Amino acid sequence: MALLKLIDLHTFFDTKKGTVKAVNGVSYSVDAGKTLGVVGESGSGKSVSAMSILRLLDGNGRIDSGEILFDGQNLVEAPMEEMLKIRGNDISVIFQEPMTSLNPVFTIERQISEAFLIHQDISKKEAAKQSVEMLRAVKIPNPENVAKQYPHQLSGGMRQRVMIAMALACRPKLLIADEPTTALDVTIQAQILKLMNELKKEQGTSILFITHDLGVINEMADDVAVMYCGQVVEMAPVRMIFGGSIYSHPYTEGLLTSIPRLDTPHGVRLEAIPGSVPHPLDLPEGCKFAPRCKYATAQCVSREPDLVQMEPDHWVRCYYAEKEKRWAKQKDTDSPAQSQIAGR
C-alpha cells in the first residue's frame, strides 16, 4: 500500500529568463515500510520533487499542478499550519551536507530536543534525555558527552549520524534522504547505509532515498525511479533495474555501464554518457535524452515518448525499450537522425 504518491506533479521556478520546469509531470509512489531510490544526474529534478512534498521551495518556486498524496491527504492543498505539523513529525529530511544543516551556535542536545519540544508535549529535561537516547540509537559512542558538544567538534560521519537522529526523533512515517552520504568516505558511507537499513527495519519507516550513485541504490532500495530533465524515464523494482528485465531506458543503461567494475579488463575505458544534461530553458522538443542517446532515431527527435508500462511494475519512457531490439538496430553516427541530433 502506497504511503506517498506523486501524481503528475509539475513544479516550476519563475526566473528573469523564463520558467524553469524543474519537475515536469512526475509520478511515483513509496510503499509503507519500503525504500524508493530516486536516481539521476545533477539537475534531473530529484531534490526538487522531494522538497515539493514538504513544500520547501525557494521564493520563486511553485507547484503548478498535480497531487501529492501522503497517507490519504493531498499536501498540495494542505494549509501551512498543517504542513508545519507534518514537517519533522510525519515526514523528516536528512540533507546532503550536515555542516550546513546543523546550527553551529547550539549544542547537539538542543538541536535534537527541538523536534521533541515542537511536536510532543514533554519537558525540556525529558527532551534532553530522549535526545541522548536517539544518539545512542544511531550508535554514537559516549552519547552523553556528544550531546553537550557543538557541530564543529564532530567528524563528518558523526554529524551525519546526528542528522539521522534528528530526523528519526519523532518516528516519522516517511524519511527523505537527500544524498546523505555524498560527502563521506566509502567506509563511513557503508556504516551510514547499514544504520539506515537497520533503523528502517526496527521502526518501519518508509524511505525516499535520493542519490546519483547506482551502487548505493542497489544497496538500499526496493524500487527505483530514474529521473532525467524533470521526468521519470524508468520505474521498476531494483532487481529489474540491475539486469533482471529485457526492457530498460537507454539512460539507465548508460548509468549502469559507467559504473566501475572489478571484472573490467585492464586497459578498457569506462563507457561514459556523451554530452551533458540540456539547459532547463532550452530542452529538446522530442525525447529529452535523444541528443545524448546512441539509439536515437528521427522519431525520438520529433516526438516525445510517453511513460509506458512494459511489464508488471515496470515503466519505461522510450520508443526502443526492449534491449535486444535496440541493440540490433543501433544506428551509426553517420545516420540522418544522428546527424540531425548532433546539429542541435
Side-chain angles (χ1 to χ4, degrees), residues 165-179:
M166 290 175 63
L168 296 175
C170 295
R171 295 183 176 271
K173 296 177 182 177
L174 175 66
L175 177 65
I176 299 174
D178 189 0
E179 302 199 33

Side-chain angles (χ1 to χ4, degrees), residues 69 71-72 117 133 147 171 188 204 207 209 235-237 249 272 277 291 304 320:
L69 302 180
D71 213 10
L117 294 172
E133 291 304 313
R171 295 183 176 271
I188 302 300
I207 300 177
F209 198 98
M235 187 163 52
H249 193 280
V277 179
E304 185 176 22
Y320 307 101

Side-chain angles (χ1 to χ4, degrees), residues 98-99 102-111 140-160 162:
M99 198 58 195
L102 294 170
N103 194 318
V105 301
F106 294 138
T107 64
I108 299 302
E109 179 183 279
R110 178 168 177 178
Q111 295 187 62
I140 287 183
N142 301 317
E144 294 84 1
N145 294 333
V146 172
K148 304 299 181 183
Q149 294 181 318
Y150 292 86
H152 71 273
Q153 296 177 283
L154 306 180
S155 66
M158 293 275 276
R159 287 195 293 266
Q160 197 60 284
V162 169

Side-chain angles (χ1 to χ4, degrees), residues 34 63 70 74 77 99 112 137-138 160 162 194 286 308 330:
K34 300 291 186 179
I63 297 176
F70 174 72
N74 187 0
E77 299 175 350
M99 198 58 195
I112 299 178
V138 296
Q160 197 60 284
V162 169
K194 181 181 178 182
V308 177
Q330 181 177 349

Side-chain angles (χ1 to χ4, degrees), residues 231 249 286-288 300 303-308 317-319:
Q231 298 177 324
H249 193 280
C287 174
K288 303 297 181 284
C300 305
R303 187 162 60 93
E304 185 176 22
D306 296 323
L307 188 64
V308 177
R317 189 187 297 274
C318 181
Y319 293 120

Side-chain angles (χ1 to χ4, degrees), residues 6 22 36 60 81 83 88 110 113 128 131 136 161 164 168-169 202 208 223 230 240 260:
L6 273 61
L36 173 69
N60 64 333
E81 293 79 6
M83 291 303 303
R110 178 168 177 178
S113 294
S131 298
R136 184 173 285 110
R161 287 173 187 261
I164 295 173
L168 296 175
E202 292 171 5
L208 178 62
D223 301 290
M240 291 185 176

Side-chain angles (χ1 to χ4, degrees), residues 39-270:
V39 66
E41 293 172 280
S42 297
S44 61
K46 306 185 302 296
S47 295
V48 175
S49 68
M51 292 305 102
S52 298
I53 296 168
L54 287 172
R55 289 166 46 190
L56 291 174
L57 301 171
D58 291 336
N60 64 333
R62 57 185 169 87
I63 297 176
D64 185 74
S65 62
E67 292 181 290
I68 302 172
L69 302 180
F70 174 72
D71 213 10
Q73 180 181 9
N74 187 0
L75 300 185
V76 174
E77 299 175 350
M80 189 51 63
E81 293 79 6
E82 183 66 21
M83 291 303 303
L84 293 175
K85 294 178 183 178
I86 292 173
R87 294 172 183 169
N89 189 30
D90 292 324
I91 305 176
S92 291
V93 184
I94 303 173
F95 293 101
Q96 182 172 348
E97 176 47 60
M99 198 58 195
T100 59
S101 302
L102 294 170
N103 194 318
V105 301
F106 294 138
T107 64
I108 299 302
E109 179 183 279
R110 178 168 177 178
Q111 295 187 62
I112 299 178
S113 294
E114 186 176 8
F116 294 115
L117 294 172
I118 291 175
H119 297 292
Q120 298 181 12
D121 185 18
I122 60 175
S123 64
K124 289 185 178 180
K125 183 178 180 180
E126 181 62 25
K129 180 181 177 181
Q130 291 194 29
S131 298
V132 173
E133 291 304 313
M134 287 306 304
L135 292 176
R136 184 173 285 110
V138 296
K139 297 180 171 54
I140 287 183
N142 301 317
E144 294 84 1
N145 294 333
V146 172
K148 304 299 181 183
Q149 294 181 318
Y150 292 86
H152 71 273
Q153 296 177 283
L154 306 180
S155 66
M158 293 275 276
R159 287 195 293 266
Q160 197 60 284
R161 287 173 187 261
V162 169
M163 288 295 299
I164 295 173
M166 290 175 63
L168 296 175
C170 295
R171 295 183 176 271
K173 296 177 182 177
L174 175 66
L175 177 65
I176 299 174
D178 189 0
E179 302 199 33
T181 60
T182 299
L184 306 177
D185 61 60
V186 291
T187 304
I188 302 300
Q189 182 185 78
Q191 294 174 2
I192 295 297
L193 295 179
K194 181 181 178 182
L195 172 64
M196 290 182 68
N197 273 327
E198 289 175 353
L199 292 172
K200 182 183 80 168
K201 291 178 182 178
E202 292 171 5
Q203 300 190 11
T205 302
S206 300
I207 300 177
L208 178 62
F209 198 98
I210 301 167
T211 184
H212 61 272
D213 190 337
L214 276 172
V216 172
I217 288 293
N218 193 29
E219 177 79 17
M220 290 292 296
D222 297 296
D223 301 290
V224 182
V226 182
M227 289 189 64
Y228 187 78
C229 286
Q231 298 177 324
V232 173
V233 296
E234 184 169 2
M235 187 163 52
V238 68
R239 68 182 185 280
M240 291 185 176
I241 294 293
F242 287 86
S245 174
I246 63 172
Y247 305 101
S248 78
H249 193 280
Y251 180 57
T252 308
E253 179 185 309
L255 293 174
L256 288 169
T257 55
S258 63
I259 299 175
R261 295 173 56 92
L262 291 175
D263 57 357
T264 302
H266 179 71
V268 176
R269 295 177 62 87
L270 286 174

